[in-house]
Amino acid sequence: MADQSTPQAPAEESASTTRNGAFSRRRLLGTAGATGLALGVAGGAAGYAAAPSGDSTDGAAPLTSLGSTEVMFHGKHQPGITTPLQARGHLVAFDLAAGAGRKEAAALLRRWSATAGRLMAGEETAHGDTDVARDAGPSSLTVTFGFGHSFFARTGLEKQRPVALDPLPDFSSDHLDKARSNGDLWVQIGANDALVAFHALRALQKDAGSAARVRWQMNGFNRSPGATSQVRTTRNLMGQIDGTRNPKPSESDFDMRIFVPEGGDAAWMAGGSYAVVRRIRMLLDDWEKLSVKAQENVIGRRKSDGAPLSGGTETSAMDLEKTGADGKPVVPVDAHARITRPDQNGGAAMLRRPFSFHDGFDADGVPDAGLLFICWQADPLRGFVTVQRKLDRGDALSAFIRHESSGLFAVPGGAAEGEYVGQRLLEG
């Protein structure tokens, strides 16, 4: 869990539409698209559209800003990468069915892209909508698609597989369940409403039909927008502010670090990114036995406000040379936030965009909870692998976490209008 935070991205206003003379989910936004004011809060995790006036001719109460926020499906990059953290998330991996190849994969991505575009716009699916999200707005829904290492052999596209998709090395903190790792195809779903997120999950699973089957699926959550008096960096299940030093889109080198440039070894990946996905179990019973001071020494930051132990506020630069009365560094040499700093890893950086998870308790009453770690980078060897190798050599946090599943996926650039995600690979 690197010491980085989620970037700010602007909210998109939603347009209202009708189909066959009936009100669509987007139409239920009332006057939000006409009168809503999009607000971007600097340094925060969400952008909000102001609530509509409430004047509705069909008797339906207008949506609040939580439901009305829409993220665009089409664009240079896929949604769900720089999108602000969402309250609900589903991660699901699929394997192509026996006998399915490039043709079936292309048809599947075409179906998935069409469904994702409709749902993200607050519309129903084209066929057999389940009504799970009836009356809800888009709720910042995003759907993101990626390809695993095995996808390319299954589709006869081995020559198009990028070098950056080579399998991750083994790490000492790995206790990986192969059944819950990797996969031919990966889908990330995020939304600020649980039913909207589930609706998308169910629709995409139905769209898979006979072409692909679910390999594994995980559910996550974050704090809901508006749950705090002001927008703040999120906290993880250890109670720590998590993500202070995330690279931000406003930084001049952001695109270079996060997105694949034109002219790479895989031209179809231009504008895309690589996602490392890890299910990280937090050993919360052990963690919560520590004093707050001990927890802060493990992380290297104050628990109350995320400020570095060397002083200042959450965003203050960490003074790695500062020592205490005992002559020891006030930020311990094995503190997580110290080890993960880009300037301690040759400039390596990744955009972290995780969800927390809680999947109940084991037979001993120990919580099965932790972090669905998702990080984005232009090159995982220079990003995730560099930092994780450093953590392997002496991170104080390692005693309190366990990596239980893993995946690396190539996430192509966004689809233009009239295209589907991955079209440049599958039809190139």
Side-chain angles (χ1 to χ4, degrees), residues 221-310:
F221 58 90
N222 285 303
R223 175 172 282 156
S224 298
T228 55
S229 58
Q230 59 185 20
V231 179
R232 301 177 185 274
T233 308
T234 193
R235 291 183 183 269
N236 60 37
L237 298 189
M238 288 178 162
Q240 299 289 151
I241 288 179
D242 188 349
T244 299
R245 290 182 55 83
N246 242 357
K248 297 175 175 58
S250 58
E251 296 169 356
S252 60
D253 60 353
F254 179 85
D255 281 3
M256 178 183 70
R257 291 182 171 191
I258 307 305
F259 294 113
V260 177
E262 301 280 350
D265 70 307
W268 62 270
M269 272 295 290
S273 188
Y274 291 91
V276 174
V277 182
R278 312 274 280 186
R279 185 184 194 271
I280 303 177
R281 177 89 169 263
M282 292 178 172
L283 308 180
L284 294 178
D285 285 352
D286 294 337
W287 175 256
E288 291 164 5
K289 290 175 183 176
L290 299 180
S291 67
V292 171
K293 179 59 178 173
Q295 291 177 354
E296 291 177 338
N297 284 336
V298 168
I299 301 300
R301 291 182 172 274
R302 292 200 300 256
K303 192 171 186 178
S304 61
D305 59 5
L309 296 184
S310 54

Coordinates of all heavy atoms in Angstrom, one line a residue, residues 221-310:
F221 N -15.4 -1.4 -1.3 CA -16.1 -0.1 -0.9 C -15.1 0.9 -0.5 O -14.0 0.6 -0.1 CB -17.1 -0.4 0.2 CG -16.5 -1.0 1.4 CD1 -16.0 -0.2 2.5 CD2 -16.4 -2.4 1.6 CE1 -15.5 -0.7 3.6 CE2 -15.8 -2.9 2.7 CZ -15.3 -2.1 3.8
N222 N -15.6 2.1 -0.5 CA -14.9 3.3 0.0 C -15.9 4.2 0.7 O -17.1 3.9 0.6 CB -14.2 4.1 -1.1 CG -12.9 3.4 -1.6 OD1 -12.0 3.1 -0.9 ND2 -12.9 3.2 -2.9
R223 N -15.4 5.2 1.4 CA -16.3 6.2 2.0 C -17.1 6.8 0.9 O -16.7 7.2 -0.2 CB -15.5 7.2 2.7 CG -16.3 8.4 3.3 CD -15.5 9.2 4.2 NE -15.3 8.6 5.5 CZ -14.2 8.9 6.3 NH1 -13.3 9.7 5.8 NH2 -14.1 8.3 7.4
S224 N -18.4 7.0 1.2 CA -19.3 7.7 0.2 C -19.0 9.2 0.1 O -18.8 9.8 1.1 CB -20.8 7.5 0.6 OG -21.1 6.1 0.6
P225 N -19.1 9.7 -1.1 CA -19.0 11.2 -1.2 C -20.0 11.9 -0.4 O -21.2 11.5 -0.3 CB -19.2 11.4 -2.7 CG -18.9 10.1 -3.4 CD -19.3 9.1 -2.4
G226 N -19.6 12.9 0.3 CA -20.5 13.7 1.2 C -20.5 13.2 2.6 O -21.2 13.8 3.4
A227 N -19.8 12.1 2.9 CA -19.9 11.5 4.3 C -19.1 12.3 5.3 O -19.2 12.1 6.5 CB -19.5 10.0 4.3
T228 N -18.2 13.1 4.8 CA -17.4 14.0 5.7 C -17.7 15.4 5.4 O -18.2 15.8 4.3 CB -15.9 13.7 5.4 OG1 -15.6 13.9 4.0 CG2 -15.5 12.3 5.8
S229 N -17.4 16.3 6.4 CA -17.7 17.7 6.3 C -17.0 18.4 5.2 O -17.4 19.4 4.6 CB -17.4 18.4 7.6 OG -16.0 18.2 8.0
Q230 N -15.8 17.9 4.8 CA -15.1 18.4 3.6 C -14.4 17.2 3.0 O -14.2 16.1 3.6 CB -14.1 19.4 4.0 CG -13.0 19.0 5.0 CD -12.1 20.1 5.5 OE1 -12.4 21.3 5.4 NE2 -11.0 19.7 6.0
V231 N -14.0 17.4 1.7 CA -13.4 16.3 1.0 C -12.0 16.0 1.5 O -11.2 16.9 1.7 CB -13.3 16.6 -0.5 CG1 -12.6 15.5 -1.3 CG2 -14.7 16.9 -1.1
R232 N -11.8 14.7 1.8 CA -10.5 14.3 2.5 C -9.9 13.1 1.8 O -10.7 12.4 1.1 CB -10.7 14.0 3.9 CG -11.3 15.1 4.8 CD -11.5 14.6 6.2 NE -12.2 15.7 7.0 CZ -11.5 16.6 7.7 NH1 -10.2 16.7 7.6 NH2 -12.2 17.5 8.4
T233 N -8.6 12.9 1.9 CA -8.0 11.6 1.5 C -8.7 10.5 2.3 O -8.9 10.6 3.5 CB -6.5 11.7 1.8 OG1 -6.0 12.8 1.2 CG2 -5.8 10.4 1.1
T234 N -9.0 9.4 1.6 CA -9.7 8.3 2.2 C -8.9 7.6 3.3 O -7.6 7.7 3.3 CB -10.1 7.3 1.1 OG1 -11.1 6.4 1.7 CG2 -8.9 6.5 0.6
R235 N -9.5 6.9 4.1 CA -8.9 6.0 5.1 C -9.1 4.5 4.8 O -10.1 4.2 4.2 CB -9.4 6.3 6.5 CG -9.0 7.6 7.1 CD -9.5 7.8 8.5 NE -9.2 9.2 9.0 CZ -8.1 9.5 9.7 NH1 -7.2 8.6 9.9 NH2 -7.9 10.7 10.1
N236 N -8.1 3.7 5.1 CA -8.3 2.3 4.9 C -8.8 1.6 6.2 O -9.1 2.3 7.2 CB -6.9 1.7 4.4 CG -5.8 1.9 5.4 OD1 -6.0 1.8 6.6 ND2 -4.6 2.1 4.9
L237 N -8.9 0.3 6.2 CA -9.5 -0.4 7.3 C -8.6 -0.4 8.5 O -9.0 -0.8 9.6 CB -9.9 -1.8 6.9 CG -11.0 -1.9 5.8 CD1 -11.5 -3.3 5.7 CD2 -12.2 -1.0 6.1
M238 N -7.3 0.0 8.4 CA -6.5 0.2 9.5 C -6.7 1.5 10.2 O -6.0 1.8 11.2 CB -5.0 0.0 9.1 CG -4.6 -1.4 8.7 SD -2.9 -1.5 8.2 CE -2.6 -3.3 8.4
G239 N -7.5 2.3 9.6 CA -7.8 3.7 10.1 C -6.8 4.7 9.7 O -6.8 5.8 10.1
Q240 N -5.9 4.3 8.8 CA -4.8 5.3 8.3 C -5.3 6.0 7.1 O -6.0 5.4 6.2 CB -3.6 4.5 8.0 CG -2.9 3.7 9.1 CD -2.3 4.6 10.2 OE1 -2.2 4.2 11.3 NE2 -1.8 5.8 9.8
I241 N -5.0 7.3 7.0 CA -5.2 8.0 5.8 C -4.3 7.4 4.7 O -3.1 7.2 5.0 CB -4.8 9.5 6.0 CG1 -5.9 10.2 6.8 CG2 -4.7 10.2 4.6 CD1 -5.7 11.7 7.1
D242 N -4.9 7.1 3.6 CA -4.2 6.2 2.6 C -4.2 6.8 1.2 O -5.2 6.8 0.6 CB -4.9 4.8 2.6 CG -4.2 3.8 1.8 OD1 -3.2 4.1 1.1 OD2 -4.5 2.6 1.9
G243 N -3.1 7.3 0.8 CA -3.0 7.9 -0.5 C -2.5 9.3 -0.7 O -2.9 10.0 -1.6
T244 N -1.8 9.8 0.3 CA -1.4 11.2 0.3 C -0.6 11.6 -0.9 O -0.7 12.7 -1.4 CB -0.7 11.5 1.6 OG1 -1.6 11.3 2.7 CG2 -0.3 13.0 1.7
R245 N 0.3 10.7 -1.3 CA 1.3 11.2 -2.3 C 1.0 10.6 -3.7 O 1.9 10.5 -4.5 CB 2.7 10.7 -1.9 CG 3.3 11.5 -0.7 CD 4.7 11.1 -0.3 NE 5.6 11.2 -1.4 CZ 6.2 12.3 -1.8 NH1 6.0 13.5 -1.2 NH2 7.1 12.3 -2.8
N246 N -0.2 10.3 -4.0 CA -0.6 9.8 -5.3 C -0.2 10.9 -6.4 O -0.3 12.1 -6.1 CB -2.1 9.6 -5.4 CG -2.4 8.2 -5.8 OD1 -1.6 7.4 -6.0 ND2 -3.7 7.9 -5.8
P247 N 0.4 10.5 -7.5 CA 0.6 11.5 -8.6 C -0.7 12.1 -9.0 O -1.8 11.4 -9.0 CB 1.2 10.7 -9.7 CG 0.9 9.2 -9.4 CD 0.8 9.1 -7.9
K248 N -0.7 13.3 -9.4 CA -2.0 14.0 -9.8 C -1.9 14.5 -11.3 O -0.9 14.8 -11.8 CB -2.1 15.3 -8.9 CG -2.3 14.9 -7.4 CD -2.3 16.1 -6.6 CE -2.6 15.8 -5.1 NZ -1.6 14.8 -4.5
P249 N -3.1 14.5 -11.9 CA -3.1 14.8 -13.3 C -2.5 16.2 -13.6 O -2.1 16.5 -14.8 CB -4.6 14.8 -13.7 CG -5.2 13.8 -12.7 CD -4.4 14.0 -11.5
S250 N -2.5 17.1 -12.6 CA -2.0 18.4 -12.8 C -0.5 18.4 -12.9 O 0.1 19.5 -13.4 CB -2.5 19.3 -11.7 OG -2.0 18.8 -10.4
E251 N 0.2 17.4 -12.5 CA 1.6 17.3 -12.6 C 2.1 17.1 -14.0 O 1.5 16.3 -14.8 CB 2.1 16.2 -11.6 CG 1.8 16.5 -10.2 CD 2.0 15.3 -9.2 OE1 2.4 14.2 -9.8 OE2 1.9 15.5 -8.0
S252 N 3.2 17.7 -14.4 CA 3.7 17.7 -15.7 C 4.1 16.3 -16.2 O 4.0 16.1 -17.4 CB 4.9 18.7 -15.9 OG 6.0 18.3 -15.0
D253 N 4.5 15.5 -15.3 CA 4.9 14.1 -15.8 C 3.9 13.1 -15.5 O 4.2 11.9 -15.6 CB 6.3 13.8 -15.1 CG 6.2 13.7 -13.6 OD1 5.1 14.2 -13.0 OD2 7.1 13.3 -12.9
F254 N 2.7 13.5 -15.2 CA 1.6 12.5 -14.9 C 1.4 11.5 -16.0 O 1.4 10.3 -15.8 CB 0.3 13.2 -14.5 CG -0.8 12.3 -14.1 CD1 -0.9 11.8 -12.9 CD2 -1.7 11.9 -15.1 CE1 -2.0 10.9 -12.5 CE2 -2.8 11.0 -14.8 CZ -2.9 10.5 -13.5
D255 N 1.1 12.0 -17.2 CA 0.8 11.1 -18.3 C 2.0 10.2 -18.6 O 1.8 9.0 -18.9 CB 0.5 11.9 -19.6 CG -0.9 12.5 -19.6 OD1 -1.7 12.2 -18.5 OD2 -1.4 13.1 -20.5
M256 N 3.2 10.7 -18.5 CA 4.4 9.8 -18.8 C 4.5 8.7 -17.8 O 4.8 7.6 -18.1 CB 5.6 10.7 -18.7 CG 6.9 10.0 -18.9 SD 8.4 11.0 -18.7 CE 8.3 11.3 -16.9
R257 N 4.1 8.9 -16.5 CA 4.1 7.9 -15.5 C 3.0 6.9 -15.6 O 3.2 5.7 -15.3 CB 4.2 8.5 -14.1 CG 5.4 9.3 -13.8 CD 5.3 9.9 -12.4 NE 6.6 10.4 -11.9 CZ 6.8 10.8 -10.7 NH1 5.9 10.6 -9.8 NH2 8.0 11.3 -10.4
I258 N 1.8 7.4 -16.0 CA 0.6 6.5 -15.9 C 0.2 5.9 -17.2 O -0.3 4.8 -17.2 CB -0.5 7.4 -15.2 CG1 -0.1 8.0 -13.9 CG2 -1.8 6.5 -15.0 CD1 0.5 7.0 -12.9
F259 N 0.3 6.6 -18.3 CA -0.3 6.2 -19.6 C 0.8 5.8 -20.6 O 1.9 6.4 -20.6 CB -1.2 7.2 -20.2 CG -2.4 7.5 -19.3 CD1 -2.6 8.7 -18.7 CD2 -3.4 6.5 -19.2 CE1 -3.7 9.0 -17.9 CE2 -4.5 6.8 -18.4 CZ -4.7 8.0 -17.8
V260 N 0.5 4.8 -21.4 CA 1.5 4.3 -22.4 C 1.5 5.3 -23.5 O 0.5 5.7 -24.1 CB 1.0 2.9 -22.9 CG1 1.9 2.4 -24.0 CG2 1.0 1.9 -21.8
P261 N 2.7 5.8 -23.9 CA 2.8 6.8 -25.0 C 2.7 6.1 -26.4 O 2.7 4.9 -26.6 CB 4.2 7.3 -24.8 CG 5.0 6.1 -24.3 CD 4.0 5.4 -23.4
E262 N 2.5 7.0 -27.4 CA 2.5 6.5 -28.8 C 3.9 6.0 -29.1 O 4.9 6.4 -28.5 CB 2.2 7.7 -29.7 CG 0.8 8.4 -29.5 CD -0.3 7.6 -30.1 OE1 0.0 6.6 -30.9 OE2 -1.5 7.9 -29.9
G263 N 4.0 5.0 -30.0 CA 5.3 4.6 -30.4 C 5.9 3.5 -29.6 O 7.1 3.2 -29.7
G264 N 5.2 2.9 -28.7 CA 5.7 1.8 -27.9 C 5.7 0.5 -28.6 O 5.4 0.4 -29.8
D265 N 6.1 -0.6 -27.9 CA 6.3 -1.9 -28.6 C 4.9 -2.5 -29.0 O 4.8 -3.4 -29.8 CB 7.1 -2.9 -27.7 CG 6.3 -3.3 -26.5 OD1 5.8 -2.4 -25.7 OD2 6.2 -4.5 -26.2
A266 N 3.9 -2.0 -28.3 CA 2.5 -2.4 -28.7 C 1.7 -1.1 -29.0 O 1.2 -0.4 -28.1 CB 1.9 -3.1 -27.5
A267 N 1.6 -0.9 -30.3 CA 0.9 0.4 -30.7 C -0.5 0.4 -30.3 O -1.1 1.5 -30.0 CB 1.0 0.5 -32.3
W268 N -1.2 -0.7 -30.1 CA -2.6 -0.7 -29.7 C -2.8 -0.3 -28.3 O -3.9 0.0 -27.9 CB -3.2 -2.1 -29.9 CG -2.5 -3.2 -29.1 CD1 -1.5 -4.0 -29.5 CD2 -2.9 -3.6 -27.8 NE1 -1.1 -4.8 -28.5 CE2 -2.0 -4.6 -27.4 CE3 -3.9 -3.2 -26.9 CZ2 -2.1 -5.3 -26.2 CZ3 -4.0 -3.9 -25.7 CH2 -3.0 -4.9 -25.3
M269 N -1.7 -0.2 -27.5 CA -1.8 0.2 -26.1 C -1.6 1.7 -25.9 O -1.7 2.2 -24.7 CB -0.7 -0.6 -25.2 CG -1.2 -1.9 -24.7 SD -2.5 -1.7 -23.5 CE -1.7 -1.0 -22.1
A270 N -1.4 2.5 -26.9 CA -1.2 3.9 -26.8 C -2.4 4.5 -26.1 O -3.6 4.3 -26.4 CB -1.1 4.5 -28.2
G271 N -2.2 5.3 -25.1 CA -3.2 5.9 -24.3 C -3.8 5.0 -23.2 O -4.6 5.4 -22.4
G272 N -3.2 3.8 -23.1 CA -3.7 2.8 -22.1 C -2.8 2.8 -20.9 O -1.9 3.7 -20.7
S273 N -3.0 1.9 -20.0 CA -2.2 1.8 -18.8 C -2.2 0.3 -18.4 O -2.9 -0.5 -18.9 CB -2.8 2.7 -17.7 OG -2.0 2.7 -16.6
Y274 N -1.3 0.0 -17.4 CA -1.2 -1.3 -16.8 C -1.8 -1.3 -15.4 O -1.3 -0.5 -14.6 CB 0.2 -1.8 -16.9 CG 0.6 -2.1 -18.3 CD1 1.3 -1.1 -19.0 CD2 0.4 -3.3 -18.9 CE1 1.7 -1.3 -20.3 CE2 0.8 -3.6 -20.2 CZ 1.5 -2.6 -20.9 OH 1.8 -2.8 -22.2
A275 N -2.7 -2.2 -15.1 CA -3.2 -2.3 -13.8 C -2.7 -3.6 -13.0 O -2.7 -4.7 -13.6 CB -4.8 -2.4 -13.8
V276 N -2.1 -3.3 -11.9 CA -1.7 -4.4 -11.0 C -2.9 -4.5 -9.9 O -3.2 -3.5 -9.3 CB -0.4 -4.2 -10.3 CG1 -0.1 -5.3 -9.2 CG2 0.7 -4.1 -11.3
V277 N -3.4 -5.7 -9.8 CA -4.5 -5.9 -8.9 C -4.1 -6.9 -7.8 O -3.7 -8.0 -8.2 CB -5.8 -6.4 -9.6 CG1 -7.0 -6.6 -8.7 CG2 -6.1 -5.5 -10.8
R278 N -4.2 -6.6 -6.5 CA -3.8 -7.5 -5.5 C -4.8 -7.4 -4.4 O -5.3 -6.4 -3.9 CB -2.5 -7.0 -4.8 CG -1.4 -6.7 -5.8 CD -0.6 -7.9 -6.2 NE 0.4 -8.3 -5.3 CZ 1.3 -9.3 -5.4 NH1 1.3 -10.0 -6.5 NH2 2.2 -9.6 -4.5
R279 N -5.3 -8.6 -3.9 CA -6.1 -8.7 -2.7 C -5.2 -8.8 -1.5 O -4.5 -9.8 -1.3 CB -7.0 -9.9 -2.8 CG -8.1 -10.0 -1.7 CD -8.8 -11.3 -1.8 NE -10.0 -11.4 -0.9 CZ -10.1 -11.8 0.3 NH1 -8.9 -12.2 0.9 NH2 -11.2 -11.8 1.0
I280 N -5.1 -7.8 -0.7 CA -4.2 -7.7 0.4 C -5.0 -7.8 1.7 O -5.8 -6.9 2.1 CB -3.4 -6.4 0.4 CG1 -2.7 -6.2 -0.9 CG2 -2.5 -6.3 1.6 CD1 -1.9 -4.9 -1.1
R281 N -4.9 -9.0 2.4 CA -5.5 -9.2 3.7 C -4.8 -8.4 4.7 O -3.6 -8.4 4.9 CB -5.4 -10.7 4.0 CG -6.0 -11.1 5.3 CD -7.5 -11.4 5.2 NE -8.0 -12.1 6.4 CZ -8.2 -13.4 6.6 NH1 -7.8 -14.2 5.6 NH2 -8.7 -13.9 7.7
M282 N -5.6 -7.7 5.5 CA -5.0 -6.9 6.7 C -5.2 -7.8 7.9 O -6.3 -8.2 8.2 CB -5.7 -5.6 6.8 CG -5.4 -4.6 5.7 SD -6.3 -3.0 5.9 CE -5.6 -2.0 4.6
L283 N -4.2 -8.0 8.7 CA -4.3 -8.8 9.9 C -4.7 -7.8 11.0 O -3.9 -7.4 11.9 CB -2.9 -9.4 10.2 CG -2.4 -10.2 9.0 CD1 -1.0 -10.9 9.4 CD2 -3.4 -11.3 8.5
L284 N -6.0 -7.5 11.0 CA -6.5 -6.4 11.8 C -6.4 -6.7 13.3 O -6.2 -5.8 14.1 CB -7.9 -6.1 11.4 CG -8.1 -5.5 10.0 CD1 -9.6 -5.3 9.7 CD2 -7.3 -4.2 9.9
D285 N -6.6 -7.9 13.7 CA -6.5 -8.2 15.2 C -5.1 -7.9 15.7 O -4.9 -7.4 16.8 CB -6.8 -9.7 15.4 CG -8.3 -10.0 15.3 OD1 -9.1 -9.0 15.2 OD2 -8.7 -11.2 15.4
D286 N -4.1 -8.3 14.9 CA -2.7 -7.9 15.3 C -2.4 -6.4 15.3 O -1.8 -5.9 16.2 CB -1.7 -8.7 14.4 CG -1.7 -10.2 14.5 OD1 -2.2 -10.7 15.6 OD2 -1.3 -10.9 13.6
W287 N -2.9 -5.8 14.2 CA -2.7 -4.4 14.0 C -3.3 -3.6 15.2 O -2.7 -2.7 15.7 CB -3.3 -3.9 12.7 CG -3.2 -2.4 12.5 CD1 -4.3 -1.6 12.6 CD2 -2.1 -1.7 12.1 NE1 -3.9 -0.3 12.3 CE2 -2.5 -0.3 12.0 CE3 -0.8 -2.0 11.9 CZ2 -1.6 0.7 11.6 CZ3 0.1 -1.0 11.5 CH2 -0.3 0.4 11.4
E288 N -4.5 -3.9 15.6 CA -5.3 -3.2 16.6 C -4.7 -3.4 18.0 O -5.1 -2.7 18.9 CB -6.8 -3.5 16.5 CG -7.4 -2.9 15.2 CD -8.7 -3.5 14.8 OE1 -9.2 -4.3 15.7 OE2 -9.2 -3.2 13.7
K289 N -3.8 -4.3 18.2 CA -3.2 -4.5 19.5 C -2.1 -3.5 19.7 O -1.6 -3.3 20.8 CB -2.6 -5.9 19.6 CG -3.6 -7.0 19.7 CD -2.9 -8.4 19.6 CE -4.0 -9.5 19.7 NZ -3.4 -10.9 19.5
L290 N -1.6 -2.9 18.6 CA -0.6 -1.9 18.7 C -1.1 -0.6 19.3 O -2.3 -0.2 19.0 CB 0.1 -1.6 17.3 CG 0.8 -2.7 16.6 CD1 1.3 -2.2 15.2 CD2 1.9 -3.3 17.4
S291 N -0.3 0.2 20.0 CA -0.7 1.5 20.4 C -0.7 2.4 19.1 O -0.2 2.1 18.1 CB 0.3 2.1 21.4 OG 1.6 2.3 20.7
V292 N -1.4 3.6 19.3 CA -1.5 4.5 18.1 C 0.0 4.9 17.8 O 0.3 5.0 16.6 CB -2.3 5.7 18.5 CG1 -2.2 6.8 17.4 CG2 -3.8 5.3 18.6
K293 N 0.8 5.2 18.7 CA 2.2 5.6 18.5 C 2.9 4.5 17.7 O 3.7 4.8 16.7 CB 2.9 5.8 19.8 CG 4.4 6.2 19.6 CD 4.5 7.5 18.7 CE 6.0 7.9 18.6 NZ 6.2 9.0 17.6
A294 N 2.7 3.2 18.0 CA 3.4 2.1 17.3 C 2.9 2.1 15.9 O 3.6 1.8 15.0 CB 3.2 0.8 18.1
Q295 N 1.6 2.2 15.7 CA 1.0 2.2 14.4 C 1.6 3.3 13.5 O 1.9 3.1 12.3 CB -0.5 2.3 14.5 CG -1.2 1.1 15.1 CD -2.7 1.4 15.2 OE1 -3.2 2.5 14.9 NE2 -3.5 0.3 15.6
E296 N 1.7 4.5 14.1 CA 2.3 5.6 13.4 C 3.7 5.4 13.0 O 4.1 5.8 11.9 CB 2.2 6.9 14.2 CG 0.7 7.4 14.4 CD 0.6 8.6 15.4 OE1 1.6 8.8 16.2 OE2 -0.4 9.3 15.3
N297 N 4.5 4.7 13.8 CA 5.9 4.4 13.5 C 5.9 3.4 12.3 O 6.8 3.4 11.5 CB 6.6 3.8 14.7 CG 7.0 4.9 15.7 OD1 7.1 6.1 15.3 ND2 7.2 4.6 16.9
V298 N 5.0 2.5 12.3 CA 4.9 1.5 11.2 C 4.7 2.2 9.8 O 5.3 2.0 8.8 CB 3.8 0.5 11.4 CG1 3.6 -0.4 10.1 CG2 4.2 -0.5 12.5
I299 N 3.8 3.2 9.9 CA 3.4 3.9 8.6 C 4.3 5.1 8.3 O 4.7 5.4 7.2 CB 1.9 4.4 8.7 CG1 1.0 3.3 8.9 CG2 1.6 5.2 7.5 CD1 1.0 2.2 7.8
G300 N 4.7 5.8 9.4 CA 5.6 7.0 9.2 C 4.8 8.3 9.1 O 5.3 9.3 8.9
R301 N 3.5 8.2 9.5 CA 2.6 9.4 9.4 C 1.7 9.3 10.7 O 1.4 8.2 11.2 CB 1.8 9.4 8.2 CG 2.6 9.7 6.9 CD 1.7 9.7 5.7 NE 2.5 10.2 4.5 CZ 2.7 11.5 4.2 NH1 2.1 12.4 4.9 NH2 3.4 11.8 3.1
R302 N 1.2 10.5 11.1 CA 0.3 10.6 12.2 C -1.1 10.0 11.8 O -1.5 10.2 10.6 CB 0.0 12.0 12.6 CG 1.3 12.7 13.3 CD 0.9 13.9 14.1 NE 0.3 14.9 13.4 CZ 0.9 16.1 13.0 NH1 2.1 16.2 13.3 NH2 0.2 17.0 12.3
K303 N -1.7 9.2 12.6 CA -3.0 8.6 12.3 C -4.1 9.6 12.2 O -5.0 9.5 11.4 CB -3.3 7.5 13.3 CG -4.4 6.6 13.0 CD -4.6 5.5 13.9 CE -5.6 4.5 13.4 NZ -5.8 3.3 14.3
S304 N -4.0 10.7 13.0 CA -5.1 11.6 13.1 C -5.3 12.4 11.8 O -6.4 12.6 11.4 CB -4.9 12.6 14.3 OG -3.6 13.3 14.1
D305 N -4.2 12.9 11.2 CA -4.4 13.8 10.1 C -3.4 13.4 8.9 O -3.4 14.1 7.9 CB -4.1 15.2 10.5 CG -2.7 15.4 11.1 OD1 -1.9 14.5 11.1 OD2 -2.4 16.6 11.6
G306 N -2.7 12.3 9.0 CA -1.8 11.9 7.9 C -0.6 12.7 7.7 O 0.2 12.5 6.8
A307 N -0.3 13.6 8.6 CA 1.0 14.4 8.5 C 2.2 13.5 8.8 O 2.1 12.6 9.6 CB 1.0 15.5 9.5
P308 N 3.3 13.8 8.1 CA 4.5 13.0 8.4 C 5.0 13.2 9.8 O 4.8 14.2 10.4 CB 5.5 13.5 7.4 CG 5.0 14.9 7.0 CD 3.5 14.8 7.1
L309 N 5.6 12.2 10.4 CA 6.1 12.2 11.7 C 7.2 13.3 11.9 O 7.4 13.7 13.1 CB 6.6 10.9 12.2 CG 5.6 9.7 12.2 CD1 6.3 8.5 12.8 CD2 4.4 10.1 13.1
S310 N 7.7 13.8 10.8 CA 8.7 14.9 10.9 C 8.0 16.2 11.1 O 8.7 17.2 11.3 CB 9.6 14.9 9.7 OG 8.8 15.0 8.5

